[in-house]
Every structure is written in C-alpha cells, then in structure tokens.
Amino acid sequence: MALNPVLGKLVSKRVVLASASPRRQEILTNVGLRFEVVPSWFKETLEKSSFAAPYEYAVETAKQKALEVANRMHVKHLRTPDIVIGADTIVSVDEQILEKPVDKQDAYRMLSRLSGKEHSVFTGVAIIHCSSKGNQLETEITDFYEETKVKFSDLSEELLWEYIHSGEPMDKAGGYGIQALGGMLVEYVHGDFLNVVGFPLNHFCKKLAELYYPPPKHTVQHIKHDSIPSVDTFENLSDGESESSNFTEHKGANKLDSSRMCPSRPVYNCENSSSVRTGFTVPLENQNGASESAAKLPSKILDLMDGFKASKALFVASKLKMFDYLKTKGPLKAVDVANEVGTSVCGTERLLDACVALGLLEKTSQGYSNTDSANTYLTSDGEYSLHGYIIHSNDHLWPLFTNLESAVREGSRQNHRAFGRKAEDLFKDYYHSQEVKQRFMAAMHSIAHLTARDVATAFDLSQFKSTCDLGGCTGALAHELIQIYPNMKVTVFDLPEVIANISYFQPSEQCAAPVTFVSGDFFKDNLPEADLYILSRVLHDWPDEKIHVLLSKISAVCKPGCGILLAEMVLDDEKKNRSTALLQSLNMLVQTEGKERSGSEYRGLLEQHGFANVKIKLTGNLLDVILCIKT
Ligand SMILES: Cc1cn([C@H]2C[C@H](O)[C@@H](COP(=O)(O)OP(=O)(O)OP(=O)(O)O)O2)c(=O)[nH]c1=O
C-alpha cells in the first residue's frame, strides 16, 4: 500500500490535533504525521438524549472540540491552522453512553455494566479545513465515526477493584484501557483496535484519500447511493490530482464539492458503513515516475537524518534565550532578536525561520513570536520549563553522543573523550564544579516537575503515611506528593552537595506541611524510616550489582506492607517498540554503567529482595511507574 502520499498531502500544512489524549498523539505520531497539539477546551456536556444514536453524540462532540480550537487559534494568533483534527471516544452499552469515570465508584459502576457482555466503542472524528477570509474564519468540516465491538469476560468484584486501584480507568471512556491492563478483561474485539484506543487510523486515512484523491467524476456518477462502489481501493482510479484533487488549489478556486465534505450525503464514502468502505491506497497512476518517486520517499529516514540539525536548532535558540525574549517582547523582527541576543542578523533569521518550520515559533508580518508550547516548555520560567534539560542536552549530552560510536565499540561510558576527564563515579563527574552541578540539577528538576503529577497519581498511595524519595534532588516530586496526599510525611534524601543547593528550586508559596530534606549517600548511610521508598530515575543509573546493594538496604529497613515506587522509562519486554526509552538507554551507555530496563527486568530485581505484587503503570508521560509491596 502506498501510504505515504495520503499523509504526505498534509506535510506542508499546519495540522493541529485538538486533543489531550496521549494515545491519539501516539497513534498519529507513529505513522509520521507532523502536527501540533492544542487540547480542546470544549466541555463534553452535550445533552445525550437529544441524539438519536450514540455515535451521533461522539461525532458532534468531536466536531465541537475541533471547532473550539480552530476558533481559538484564529482569534488568538491571527494565524489560522490549515487542518484541525478532533476526536471523541465513547462506550455504549444497553443504549447508554459511558464516558470517562468521574471517580472510582463511577468506574466500578461502568465496569460492572460491561462485565460478561458485548459493548460498542464509538470514536467520532472531525477533520476541519480552515481558511481566513478577511478576518473571518471559514471552515469545511468532514466527519465520520467508527464502531468496534468489544466483549468482556465475567469479572469478579475483587478483580474489578484491583483494576480500578491500578488507576488505569480514570482517564478512559468506559473506565478501561484495552491497550494496557484492561486488555486482560477482554474476550474478543471485532473491528479496529486503534478505534478503541481513541483514534480510528484506518478510517481516517481512507477519509484523507477520499478528500485528496477523489475518484474522477465519471466513476462517481456510476455509484448508486446505496450500493457498494465498484472499486474497493483507489488503485484503479486515475489520480484526479491534475484536475481537482489538490485540496488547497481546489478550495481557492471554489468551495469543495460539498458531497465530499458533508457526512450526511451518501454520494461517495461519506457514511460510516462497511458497505461503502474503500481502501485508502493511493494510485501510483503516473507511469513516468513523478508520483512513484514521491511514494517511495523515505520520509522517516530523511527525518532521522535531519534529527540532529533540528535538535541543535532548538538547543541553540534556547541557549541564546530567544524564547525568553520573544515571550516578553514578541513579536520581534529577526534584526531585533539579533540585537537583543548579540548575534548576526543573517544567522538569527535562518535560525528563527527553522524554528517556525519546526513548529516552535510563529511568523507573521509583525515578526516572530512564541507558540503556546514554546511559552510553556521552552522559556526558562515557563510553567513546565524544559529549559534546564535542553541546556544539559546541549552542553553535556551532545558531546557524549558525538562519541556514541566509541561507546558502542567499547561498551562503556565516554566522559573521558567528551570532557577530557577520567571517568569517575557518575555523580562525582556531575558535581566536580558548581556550574555543572547546577546545570544538572536544573535538568533533573525540569523532568521531575513535568512528570511529578503523573508519577504521584499513577497509583493510590494514600495507604502510605510516610515516604522517602531517595535521590529526590530538588524535591519536585516530593512537593507534588504533599499536594495530592496532604497528610503524607515526605522526606527527600540526597547527597550533601545536592541538598546544599536546593533553595533556588523551592516553590515560592510555602506548603503547609513542608518537605524534609536529609543529606546522605544511599549506598553508604542509614536510610530515613518510611512506609514507601521512591526511586525516581535512580535505578537506570546503575548496573545490576549496585542495584542489588541498594535494594537489599531498602529491604532491610522495610516492614511488611511497606513498598517501593519506581519511576523510570519502562521498556517493552521485546525491547523494540518504545524508541524514546531505547534512545534513553543509549544515553545511559554514553555516560553511566546503567541502562533502561523492561518491566520484567524490574520485576525480577524487586522480587529477589522480597518485594511482591509488582504493578506497572505506563503513564503516557516520560516516566512510567512501578509499585511493589514488601511481603
Ligand atoms: C475504551 C478506551 C478508551 N481510551 C481512551 C481514549 C481517549 O483518550 C479516552 C476517551 O476520552 P475522550 O473524551 O475521547 O478524549 P480525551 O479526554 O482523552 O482527550 P480530548 O478530549 O482532549 O480529545 O479514553 C483508551 O485509551 N483505551 C480504551 O480501551
């Protein structure tokens, strides 16, 4: 199947996914679609009883989510996106619509209704093509839905509660996630699996193929409204591109054929009906090579070849604090940015343009300005600033990664090559100078802050009265724990040179129950007493031998019923799917004796030290969470 041309049609467009769902982002990223994420603020409060069928509710909600984002972006930035994609997933059982549970009781109510029965999962999708006329936003809406049938086994009350306590149901329609623990509840699935996970990719691609490669008119005329089209893929059709299928041009000339845009007109594949489903294979119609070479364009490989340039562009713009200047003073012309920063105008202009193309900045006739993401993540005072980690990536990881080849040949860390220093203990390397130490602490703080909420809420930790975050650095996770569990006593235990430097990172408003910081070396010193020991991004720094030393120390002070919570990037057992975590494991190779590990590997390590009932939660954020209890 020539998939690439379908998505390739979107390459030059500003595509926005109006969804906060990490699953939708992952599904679309995995097929190489480039898009910005702007979660919709539309509240899912449409009156369900006013819809004749559950899928109509999902389609309308998806449409409203996407329209809200299209309108907001148009008004706010005066730079209208080309395409906004919205989606809404619901579960329907006995004519009732189930959305995300509001609390655990609600999850229990939903899951017990699904037990032993077949239900339908509907995802409504809206694809909105936007354009600006004068100051007005014009939209062309295409929508559709997909249904998948899922049957649950008979589920005991005990099993349901165990599942609910895993925390997985809370952000998922119907209260389950088929892609993770919830998969164990499922007897069969009829239909598109990804539709259950939140996005019907196959139907979406077919829809794009319809929009961008419509069949020639004579073919359409032969199709009866209620009949199966005479072709089931587009392979036999001529492209139509030369006539009218280039969406942008077509739209400019006159409005799109509304029969293609309106889901309620059944002329050509506008309904969700398997009887009119077509494949989304795109024709290699042109025998003289033009389209064929486009179809073969190895875009993923080309993106990888460019990856280091894109990373470095981000690092340099961050290091020069361009995002900070644009936040306070933007929009600015390239010459003004160059003056602020003290750089050349021609170099600055090229860097800013590259950042625009990478989706980090926006460019209008008034100049360059930050995107919402840049304000949140790239400025040094952004709410979830990654500035510290970006500078660490530029100044520390980049030189190490340039020695990746040696690391792979030798199987060991490369600090001596990158920094001309004999490799000592990992943390002695980081703490040999005040500047490097503070840079490292800022980097760790930014990741800990970004992931803290997901780590703290992955499991219900209210049973633990006291917690000790070993290697908890600036206390970002500790502060989040206190927010969520106000009665919890939280201690951070870290090296004296870290504890001496934490003040800069403390939240300005004082918490009622402040975090206690204790200095020491967890390999050598006594550990503070606690019901729960947290090791966040600690075990990945060390080889198995050192981990056994640490886990046996924790095991010795842990009473039965007490636990360990690990926060790490957990690899899939086959070590072939999670590229972020696998690349992070290379990161550990170039600078430590540690590595990233799979869920089974962590389970094996923990069980050897008397920790059982090991539960793993993939959070969708950078860190996954593992909880286990001392027997
Ligand atoms: C049934 C099921 C749902 N889900 C998820 C998909 C959706 O993210 C979520 C349903 O909620 P939605 O309201 O469709 O989406 P969302 O709130 O996650 O994101 P947004 O509104 O910003 O688009 O449930 C799974 O991940 N696995 C499953 O098995």
Side-chain angles (χ1 to χ4, degrees), residues 54-73:
Y55 65 81
E56 288 182 8
Y57 170 83
V59 168
E60 187 57 32
T61 306
K63 212 189 306 178
Q64 294 304 331
K65 285 183 186 179
L67 280 171
E68 186 279 320
V69 168
N71 280 316
R72 178 154 41 99
M73 293 187 78

Side-chain angles (χ1 to χ4, degrees), residues 114-135:
L114 301 177
S115 171
K117 271 199 255 170
E118 186 184 89
H119 62 268
S120 288
V121 180
F122 292 102
T123 299
V125 176
I127 307 170
I128 303 198
H129 285 84
C130 307
S131 57
S132 244
K133 278 262 166 62
N135 240 351

Side-chain angles (χ1 to χ4, degrees), residues 47-58 60 92 95-97 122:
E47 181 49 52
K48 297 190 180 69
S49 60
S50 64
F51 293 89
Y55 65 81
E56 288 182 8
Y57 170 83
E60 187 57 32
S92 168
E95 307 287 301
Q96 289 267 324
I97 293 175
F122 292 102

Side-chain angles (χ1 to χ4, degrees), residues 4 41-42 52 67 105 170 215 218 253 259 295 318 320 327 378 406 419 422-424 430 461 506 534 548 593:
N4 196 37
W41 295 348
F42 176 75
L67 280 171
Q105 277 304 333
M170 298 319 291
H218 65 269
S259 65
S318 294
L320 294 172
K327 183 176 179 182
L378 301 182
S406 305
F419 305 115
K422 197 172 148 286
E424 283 184 74
Y430 275 130
L461 303 178
Q506 299 314 297
I534 296 180
H548 285 306
E593 295 166 86

